[in-house]
Amino acid sequence: MPFIPHTDQEIAQMLETIGVDAIDDLFDEIPSHLRAGVLDAIPQGMNEMEISRLMRQRAEQNKSVICFLGAGAYQHHIPAAVWEITTRGEFYSAYTPYQAEASQGTLQLTYEYQSMMTALTAMDVSNASMYDGASSLAEAILMAVRANRKSKSRKILMPTTVNPVYRKTAHTIVKGQQIELVDVPYDKATGTVALEQIKLHGEGDITAVVIQQPNFFGCLEDVDAITDWAHENNILVIAVINPLTVAVLNPPGEWGGINEGSESNQVANNKGADIACGDGQPLGAPMSAGGPYYGLLCCKQAYVRQMPGRIVGRTVDLDDKEGFVLTLQAREQHIRRSKATSNICTNQGLVVTASTIYMAIQGAQGLENTAAACYANNNQLVEKLTAIDGVDKVFNSAHFHETVLQLNIPADVALSGLMDKGILGGYNLSQDYPELDYPELKNAILVCTTEMRSDEDIDTYVTAMQEVLNSSDVSVASLAETA
Amino acid sequence: MLIFEHSSQGRKGAPQSPKEKASIVAIPEALLRKDRAALPEVSELQAVRHYTRLSQKNFSIDTEFYPLGSCTMKYNPRACNTLAMLPGFLNAHPLTPDAQNQGFLACMHDLQDMLCEATGMAVFSLAPMAGAQGEFAGVAMIDAYHKSRGDHERKEILVPDAAHGTNPATAVMCGFSVKEITTLDNGDVDIDALKAAVGPQTAGLMLTNPSTLGVFERNIEAIAKVVHEAGGLLYYDGANLNAILGKIRPGDMGFDVIHSNLHKTFSTPHGGGGPGSGAVGVAERLKPFLPLPVVGKTGDEYCYLTAQDCPQSIGRLSAFMGNPGVLLRAYIYMRFLGREGMVRVAEFATLNANYMMAEAKRRGFTLAIDNRRASHEFIITLKNEAREHHVSAMDFAKRLLDLGYHAPTTYFPLLVPECLLIEPTESEAKEALDGFMDALEQIKHEAETNPDILHAAPQTLPVKRLDEVRAAKQLDLSYKA
Amino acid sequence: MSEVPSELKYTESHEWLRAEDDGLVTVGISDHAQALLGDLVFVELPEAGTEFVTGDECCVVESVKAASDVYMPISGEIVAVNEALADEPEIINSSPYDNGWLFKVRPSANEMADLMDADAYQAEIDE
C-alpha cells in the first residue's frame, strides 16, 4: 500500500486496543446511505517506475523553446545550489513555524529574507510573503485603505500601465469591499502615465495611487513626481516592482522626496512609496508554468500593523540568546478572526527559502550584473529588430528589459510563425489593450530579454522575425488586395 | 549567526551571474539606484553551509513525527518532487501557447477530474493558491450566485464557533457579515441555533466535516436541509478531507462548494509555510462562477478557458495558474494512490487517530469528546493538569520537543481549554505512535512529580523559550548593519 | 481575583469610566480585561478631537496572543489620550485604573446612569 506502513499484525493489535473488529467500524457514525462507492473515474494506482514514465512523457510534450516572453514571469539563471538546499527535507517538509524553538531554521531564514528584501527595496518592513505579485497588489490596496485614515473615498488610481492581470486580480479580490479602482490612461507617445493625467483623475479624495516600475510595457515611470504629488495630497503610494530591477533602478523606498518646487515639507519628510509589492519570481523561482512564485510586500514602519501575513521578529530566549519568532500575530486570522488584516494563512515559504539563498549567493553585485545584462540584451535585441523593415518601437521613453514593438502584420500571426521556429517571441498586447482605445498597440508585441539570452539567441530571433515578416508579406498583401 | 555576519566587503563569489556589469546607457540618472543594496557578500560555500546548518535547526516530517492537528503532516513522497521538477515543466513560461503546453495541461485536466470524483463535485478550478484563497473563491462564488438571481439581500455567512479563523476572515473579505453558530458538547453543530439563525439574509454556511473537534458531523443532512431551505448554500472547508477520502464525499453530503487543501490531503509539502493549493470544486449550479483559469478540453486538445469562455466567472486570483508546481505534486501523488489508495488514506489515518485516542484514555488523559469515534484527529484537554499542577498545554508542547516529537496543535480549537489537537496521519507506523504516547505519559508523570521540568522546556533545542512580548514590543524585523 | 473599584462605572465589554470633576469622563479597560489579555504590547489610541457614538470601535489593545477592540462606552468627543501608552503599553497591566487610562471624553449625552456599577460588573465577571 503506497505510503502506509502497517503490518497485518499491527492492524489487529490496534483494532483490539480500540475495541472494534474492523477498520470500517470506525466510520459507523457516517450515515450508511451517504457512503461513497468505488471512485471509478480515478485510475488505479501506479508504482514509481510507471509514474516516472508517464511524467517524463508529459514533460517532454512541453516543447523546449527560446524564451523572449516576459510579461510578469522571467527566465533567469538559478544557481544549482539554490534548489538543492531548498528541497532539503528539513525545509521542504516542515510546517509553518508555530513552535518557534523547533523551527529556528525557517524563522531565521525568513528574518534574513525580510532583511534582504528591505535592503533591496529600501523599505522599512517586509512580511514573510504573499501568494504572488498580483495578489500582493490586491492586499496592498486593502492595506492602503486601512492605513490611510485621512481618506474616506476608498478610491484607488490604477494606471493602465500596470500589468493587466494584476489589475484583474486586484479587482476580483477587493470588489467585495466597496473599493473603486479608477483607470488612468497612459500617454501614447511615452507609454507611461503622465502626472497631468493622474491629476485629472485624482481630484477630490483619493486613497492611494498604484505605480508599476518598470511598467507593464517595460517603460520607466516618473516615479518621483508622482510620489511627491501623491504625498502633497495625502494619497498613499503603492509601488509595484520587479525586485531584480531595483538592483539597478531607484528602489521604491527612495522615490520622491525632492524638495524643489514642492509646496510643503511634508514631501521631503515623506520620501518613498508607502507600500511596495511585486512578484519575487525573478529572484530564484523557475517559471514552472506559472508558479509557485511569491508576492513580496513591504511598507513603511508606520503601517506595520496594517500589514497582512506572517512577520518574523528577532528576540532573545530565557538565556538572552538570540532567536526568532512569528510576531505581531494579533493581526492575523487565527487570532483576530473576522477582524484580521487578511484571511491569508499559508504563504509561499519554500519559494522564499529559494529566493533568500539566491540573493545570498548572488549578492548585490551579482544582482546588478544580472539586471544590467537583461537591460543590455534588450537594447541589443530592439536595435537589431527595429532595423528590420516593418518593426518599430512604439514608445519613446526609457525602458528596462522589456519593449513594445509594432509589427506590420498581426501579432498573433508573427508569434505563431516564430513559435514554428522554436521561439517564444513575446506577448500579444492587443488582447489586453483593445484597438479602439489604444490604436498604437495594434499588432504590438512585448519582447523581453533576460541575462540568459545569448548573442546567438538574439541573432536567431532577428533572423526568424525577418523570415516570418517576409513570408507573411505575401499573405498580408493578398489579403489587402481581396479586401 | 546571520548570513550578514558572514559577509566580507568585496568578496565576490558568484560564478553564476554575468562577470561584468553592462553599462546602463539610456536611463535618466534620477531613475537609477544610488547606493548598492546591503546584501551579504559571501562565497557559495559559505551560503551553502549557512543554509544547510539552518535547515538542521528545523523539525520536519522527514526528521520527526509531526502530529500537528488540522495540518495533515503526512509523508511527502520524494518522487513527487523529482518529477514535478522535470525541465519540461520548470522551463515552461506560464503564457506558453496551449499547443506547446499540452503535457502540463493534460496533468491539470486529469487532476481536475480526479478531484471531482474524489469529492463528488461537478467541476473544479485549480486556481486558488492556498486554503484561504480557496475559501475566498468559494464565498465569492456564493455571492455571485445569489446576485445572478437578483437576490441582493443575502449579506450574512454562518460559521460554527469551532471553525478555523480563516472562515470568518474570508467572509468579511468578501463583504459579508459573520454570525457564529454554537457547537454542542458532543461536537455536533447546535441545529436549533442554526435554525434560529437562518433566514432571507443567509448567504451560506461554512462547515468543516469532520469538524475541528475531530468528530464527524452526524446531522449533516439535516444541516444541509435547513440551510438550503432558507435559500443559502453550503460551503465545505476541506481542511479535514483526509479523514473521509473515498468514504464519503462532500458532494454527496449536500455541499455546493468546497476547497481542498492539496498540501494536506494530497501530500504536497508545507515548505515551512507554503506554497499550498486550495483548489475549489462546485456543484453544477455554481459552475459559471468558477475562478479562472480552468483547463478545458476540445477533442484531444487541452486549453485554458478564458473570460470569454466563462463570462460570469468571479475572475482571477493570481497572475497565472495558481501554484502549478504544487498541483503537479498533488497529481503525481494521486496517481500513486489510485482509487484504491484514496480510501486507504482515510482508513489508516482514522485507525491511527482512534488507536492513539484509545491509548490516551488508557494512560489517564482526559479527552475533549469522549465516547465518540475520532476522525483522523482527536483532542486531549489538559485542564485538570493545569489546575492541579500548574502546567499548561504549552508546557506539554515544549517538553515534547525535548523528547524529539513535534508538538500537536495547541490552543485550537478555541472551544477546548488547554487542548492538544493530535493528528497522526496514515503514513506513521505504530511504533511512532507508541513512542509519542510514551513521551506524553512521561510528561504527565513529570507534571505530577516535578513540573519545573515542563516549565523549563525545551532544553535540548537550539534556543530555549523565546520572549514573544519583547519581539512584539521592541520590533526587530530586519537586520541593520 | 481582579480588582473592581467601587467608584467606577463599567461595561460588558470591560471598559471602565470615571466621571471627573471637570465634566470629562476618563475611560480605560478593567483589571479583569488586562489579565485576560496578558502582557500588552501595543495600544492604538484614537485621535483627540474625534467624535464617536456609543458602541463605536475607537481603540485597539494588543497583546502577544490577542487583539481586542475597545468600544466607546458613551457618545462624545475625545479630548485627550494617554500618550504614555505609545511607548509603554504595559502600564495598563500594572495600573489599569490609574496610570493606564486610555482616553478622556467630553460626553454629548447623559449616559453614565445606563452603565453597570461595580457590583453588577463583579457579578458579570464572576459568571
Side-chain angles (χ1 to χ4, degrees):
Chain A
M1 286 182 278
F3 319 120
I4 293 173
H6 302 60
T7 66
D8 288 346
Q9 195 190 355
E10 285 166 346
I11 296 170
Q13 287 170 354
M14 292 167 80
L15 290 173
E16 195 188 331
T17 302
I18 300 168
V20 295
D21 297 327
I23 292 178
D24 211 45
D25 295 348
L26 300 173
F27 295 89
D28 57 10
E29 290 188 2
I30 298 179
S32 56
H33 62 282
L34 291 179
R35 292 279 294 268
V38 178
L39 304 174
D40 289 320
I42 296 178
Q44 290 195 330
M46 297 167 97
N47 64 28
E48 188 171 312
M49 183 176 69
E50 292 164 336
I51 293 175
S52 299
R53 187 182 301 137
L54 171 74
M55 294 309 290
R56 281 177 210 288
Q57 281 166 359
R58 292 261 170 97
E60 280 160 19
Q61 266 181 285
N62 273 41
K63 307 265 163 38
S64 170
V65 291
I66 310 177
C67 182
F68 287 90
L69 175 55
Y74 304 93
Q75 186 178 39
H76 292 290
H77 177 73
I78 303 171
V82 170
W83 282 89
E84 286 275 336
I85 306 295
T86 300
T87 52
R88 282 179 65 91
E90 299 94 328
F91 284 134
Y92 186 77
S93 72
Y95 196 73
T96 302
Y98 286 134
Q99 290 292 341
E101 301 87 347
S103 313
Q104 285 297 299
T106 292
L107 286 165
Q108 183 177 331
L109 180 139
T110 308
Y111 177 87
E112 292 181 2
Y113 161 77
Q114 292 171 186
S115 304
M116 292 182 198
M117 196 47 84
T118 49
L120 203 51
T121 58
M123 301 292 290
D124 297 331
V125 181
S126 165
N127 77 357
S129 75
M130 306 305 286
Y131 305 126
D132 79 337
S135 63
S136 75
L137 172 58
E139 291 277 10
I141 290 169
L142 296 175
M143 187 178 164
V145 169
R146 291 190 297 269
N148 191 346
R149 302 222 170 110
K150 289 181 183 143
S151 167
K152 302 289 172 217
S153 71
R154 303 169 87 87
K155 254 192 202 174
I156 312 290
L157 298 182
M158 182 72 90
T160 54
T161 53
V162 175
N163 187 331
V165 292
Y166 282 36
R167 286 185 273 140
K168 287 180 192 163
T169 302
H171 176 73
T172 307
I173 295 175
V174 309
K175 70 184 168 196
Q177 301 189 34
Q178 287 81 48
I179 292 167
E180 188 187 347
L181 305 179
V182 182
D183 276 356
V184 183
Y186 62 82
D187 183 279
K188 299 186 178 187
T190 61
T192 59
V193 58
L195 182 57
E196 295 315 311
Q197 275 294 331
I198 291 193
K199 284 180 180 168
L200 203 63
H201 289 74
E203 285 180 7
D205 178 10
I206 299 289
T207 304
V209 57
V210 179
I211 320 171
Q212 183 174 351
Q213 181 79 324
N215 72 21
F216 186 62
F217 301 136
C219 298
L220 298 179
E221 302 278 6
D222 189 357
V223 292
D224 293 323
I226 299 171
T227 301
D228 284 347
W229 168 82
H231 287 158
E232 275 169 35
N233 293 283
N234 293 320
I235 297 169
L236 296 187
V237 174
I238 300 172
V240 181
I241 58 156
N242 172 335
L244 177 64
T245 68
V246 296
V248 170
L249 297 177
N250 203 25
E254 300 287 342
W255 291 1
I258 298 165
N259 247 330
E260 280 176 307
S262 83
E263 290 165 21
S264 62
N265 283 333
Q266 193 176 354
V267 171
N269 296 337
N270 206 353
K271 189 168 74 167
D274 299 282
I275 304 170
C277 61
D279 204 305
Q281 181 271 334
L283 302 178
M287 295 192 293
S288 187
Y293 305 160
Y294 71 90
L296 68 93
L297 188 61
C298 299
C299 68
K300 287 183 176 166
Q301 189 74 37
Y303 306 128
V304 64
R305 281 186 161 75
Q306 301 305 333
M307 182 82 110
R310 298 183 182 126
I311 300 174
V312 172
R314 179 158 63 166
T315 185
V316 294
D317 74 356
L318 288 171
D319 296 342
D320 238 15
K321 183 177 169 189
E322 171 181 279
F324 303 86
V325 293
L326 291 176
T327 192
L328 299 177
Q329 291 191 75
R331 301 163 295 115
E332 293 188 73
Q333 49 75 29
H334 61 283
I335 290 176
R336 200 87 163 107
R337 296 176 77 86
S338 66
K339 287 182 177 157
T341 50
S342 165
N343 69 344
I344 191 168
C345 180
T346 291
N347 58 26
Q348 304 283 114
L350 196 67
V351 193
V352 165
T353 305
S355 207
T356 307
I357 301 172
Y358 175 87
M359 285 190 272
I361 290 178
Q362 288 279 45
Q365 179 78 62
L367 293 184
E368 266 179 38
N369 291 5
T370 301
C374 297
Y375 169 82
N377 284 344
N378 194 258
N379 278 348
Q380 189 191 343
L381 176 73
V382 170
E383 200 172 298
K384 287 181 174 171
L385 281 177
T386 50
I388 301 173
D389 201 21
V391 183
D392 294 294
K393 215 174 144 210
V394 175
F395 301 122
N396 61 15
S397 57
H399 57 91
F400 199 75
H401 68 332
E402 291 183 90
T403 307
V404 178
L405 297 175
Q406 179 77 262
L407 309 178
N408 63 358
I409 62 169
D412 53 348
V413 175
L415 292 175
S416 89
L418 290 167
M419 182 50 83
D420 291 342
K421 298 172 188 297
I423 293 168
L424 199 45
Y427 182 76
N428 180 352
L429 283 164
S430 63
Q431 50 202 351
D432 295 304
Y433 294 89
E435 294 172 16
L436 281 178
D437 292 348
Y438 298 105
E440 67 283 3
L441 294 183
K442 186 168 173 287
N443 299 350
I445 59 172
L446 180 67
V447 294
C448 173
T449 51
T450 67
E451 82 285 8
M452 288 187 72
R453 296 288 72 84
S454 63
D455 293 351
E456 193 189 345
D457 290 341
I458 290 171
D459 289 339
T460 304
Y461 187 15
V462 173
T463 309
M465 180 66 94
Q466 219 147 17
E467 288 168 8
V468 168
L469 294 183
N470 288 341
S471 65
S472 303
D473 275 353
V474 186
S475 53
V476 172
S478 59
L479 268 178
E481 269 168 39
T482 46
Chain B
M1 195 168 172
L2 295 167
I3 187 80
F4 295 89
E5 292 156 340
H6 292 288
S7 179
S8 299
Q9 200 179 1
R11 180 170 287 143
K12 296 191 194 78
Q16 301 84 2
S17 53
K19 287 190 195 71
E20 302 292 334
K21 183 178 168 187
S23 55
I24 305 288
V25 287
I27 297 181
E29 192 64 32
L31 296 178
L32 294 176
R33 184 168 193 125
K34 275 109 206 149
D35 303 314
R36 178 169 288 175
L39 296 184
E41 298 180 68
V42 296
S43 70
E44 182 168 318
L45 173 60
Q46 285 177 306
V48 166
R49 191 173 286 160
H50 175 75
Y51 290 109
T52 301
R53 285 192 175 159
L54 275 194
S55 77
Q56 291 166 335
K57 294 185 178 183
N58 271 2
F59 277 32
S60 68
I61 303 173
D62 283 6
T63 50
E64 279 87 15
F65 181 40
Y66 213 120
L68 200 59
S70 204
C71 301
T72 312
M73 297 297 281
K74 61 170 78 178
Y75 175 55
N76 307 139
R78 279 280 146 187
C80 298
N81 183 53
T82 306
L83 297 174
M85 293 188 83
L86 290 171
F89 299 128
L90 282 196
N91 294 329
H93 191 285
L95 301 171
T96 300
D98 293 344
Q100 277 70 39
N101 203 14
Q102 287 294 299
F104 170 71
L105 291 174
C107 295
M108 296 301 102
H109 193 266
D110 286 358
L111 178 59
Q112 289 172 188
D113 283 352
M114 289 196 292
L115 286 168
C116 285
E117 178 73 358
T119 60
M121 307 311 286
V123 271
F124 250 87
S125 164
L126 306 172
M129 288 178 287
Q133 224 192 21
E135 288 180 34
F136 179 90
V139 176
M141 282 190 275
I142 290 174
D143 188 35
Y145 168 80
H146 291 310
K147 285 181 177 156
S148 75
R149 293 153 48 92
D151 189 349
H152 295 277
E153 300 311 308
R154 298 190 179 271
K155 301 276 189 205
E156 192 171 88
I157 291 281
L158 304 175
V159 175
D161 52 7
H164 293 111
T166 48
N167 291 177
T170 299
V172 168
M173 254 182 118
C174 291
F176 288 100
S177 59
V178 177
K179 187 182 271 180
E180 290 205 340
I181 307 295
T182 46
T183 303
L184 300 173
D185 288 343
N186 66 12
D188 288 333
V189 166
D190 182 345
I191 203 148
D192 292 329
L194 178 66
K195 280 179 185 160
V198 296
Q201 78 289 355
T202 304
L205 168 71
M206 299 179 84
L207 198 65
T208 310
N209 192 15
S211 75
T212 58
L213 291 162
V215 290
F216 187 81
E217 173 56 62
R218 292 170 292 193
N219 297 322
I220 182 60
E221 282 178 293
I223 290 171
K225 195 156 170 268
V226 170
V227 174
H228 284 151
E229 281 179 358
L233 298 184
L234 214 55
Y235 182 92
Y236 182 83
D237 178 330
N240 293 344
L241 185 64
N242 210 54
I244 56 167
L245 197 58
K247 286 288 179 187
I248 177 170
R249 309 187 305 169
D252 299 335
M253 290 189 247
F255 285 96
D256 301 287
V257 49
I258 85 163
H259 86 263
S260 171
N261 300 86
L262 303 187
H263 51 289
K264 296 180 181 177
T265 315
F266 299 108
S267 187
T268 69
H270 286 79
S277 168
V280 280
V282 294
E284 200 62 47
R285 60 176 158 169
L286 288 175
K287 185 175 172 182
F289 310 107
L290 273 182
L292 293 171
V294 175
V295 179
K297 191 179 185 188
T298 326
D300 290 335
E301 293 282 308
Y302 299 97
C303 60
Y304 278 128
L305 300 182
T306 65
Q308 281 80 41
D309 305 307
C310 316
Q312 286 182 283
S313 164
I314 57 161
R316 293 193 146 272
L317 299 165
S318 66
F320 303 112
M321 169 60 178
N323 279 328
V326 177
L327 298 169
L328 281 169
R329 284 167 177 81
Y331 173 69
I332 297 160
Y333 176 75
M334 290 179 90
R335 296 303 305 263
F336 260 119
L337 296 186
R339 65 171 81 106
E340 67 281 20
M342 298 264 165
V343 68
R344 283 185 192 140
V345 163
E347 288 177 345
F348 285 87
T350 304
L351 176 68
N352 278 358
N354 279 279
Y355 171 71
M356 288 181 85
M357 185 168 79
E359 279 291 306
K361 194 171 177 182
R362 187 177 73 76
R363 296 171 194 243
F365 286 95
T366 308
L367 302 176
I369 297 178
D370 207 352
N371 300 319
R372 286 204 58 182
R373 301 285 183 221
S375 60
H376 63 320
E377 59 190 354
F378 70 100
I379 302 170
I380 289 174
T381 171
L382 299 166
K383 61 181 178 194
N384 296 337
E385 287 80 358
R387 193 178 56 237
E388 288 162 24
H389 310 296
H390 304 289
V391 290
S392 63
M394 182 63 73
D395 296 328
F396 266 75
K398 299 305 182 196
R399 182 68 181 132
L400 274 167
L401 302 178
D402 263 343
L403 299 179
Y405 294 95
H406 195 280
T409 297
T410 51
Y411 301 102
F412 182 83
L414 308 172
L415 301 178
V416 184
E418 300 297 332
C419 66
L420 299 178
L421 176 60
I422 302 171
E423 179 183 2
T425 83
E426 72 281 4
S427 48
E428 294 295 337
K430 181 172 175 291
E431 49 264 48
L433 313 183
D434 289 337
F436 178 84
M437 292 312 303
D438 289 346
L440 214 51
E441 192 174 1
Q442 177 190 326
I443 298 169
K444 187 174 162 58
H445 181 70
E446 289 168 353
E448 288 157 6
T449 54
N450 189 1
D452 284 345
I453 297 180
L454 277 70
H455 297 144
Q459 293 285 326
T460 61
L461 294 178
V463 290
K464 294 185 180 171
R465 271 192 228 193
L466 292 155
D467 188 343
E468 294 190 31
V469 173
R470 171 178 159 140
K473 227 153 45 180
Q474 302 170 31
L475 286 178
D476 174 359
L477 308 178
S478 59
Y479 170 81
K480 304 280 187 296
Chain C
M1 274 308 283
S2 52
E3 201 186 329
V4 182
S6 59
E7 71 278 18
L8 304 181
K9 291 283 197 174
Y10 299 87
T11 68
E12 287 178 8
S13 46
H14 308 292
E15 292 87 15
W16 60 258
L17 299 88
R18 180 167 52 226
E20 308 290 357
D21 296 340
D22 54 6
L24 299 182
V25 173
T26 306
V27 179
I29 63 168
S30 72
D31 188 28
H32 177 71
Q34 71 77 20
L36 281 181
L37 285 163
D39 292 327
L40 291 177
V41 296
F42 183 68
V43 180
E44 188 186 301
L45 292 161
E47 277 184 39
T50 322
E51 294 197 25
F52 292 99
V53 297
T54 308
D56 280 354
E57 293 164 10
C58 56
C59 176
V60 181
V61 288
E62 185 183 310
S63 68
V64 172
K65 298 292 180 205
S68 182
D69 290 301
V70 175
Y71 299 93
M72 195 69 175
I74 52 171
S75 300
E77 182 195 344
I78 306 284
V79 292
V81 298
N82 187 353
E83 303 285 357
L85 300 177
D87 291 329
E88 294 179 80
E90 63 272 23
I91 298 173
I92 295 176
N93 294 112
S94 58
S95 176
Y97 297 111
D98 295 310
N99 298 335
W101 63 278
L102 292 171
F103 50 83
K104 292 182 193 291
V105 189
R106 177 171 296 120
S108 57
N110 194 358
E111 296 171 286
M112 291 291 278
D114 305 339
L115 298 165
M116 280 187 279
D117 63 17
D119 289 345
Y121 181 66
Q122 183 70 58
E124 174 87 13
I125 59 178
D126 285 345
E127 268 183 24

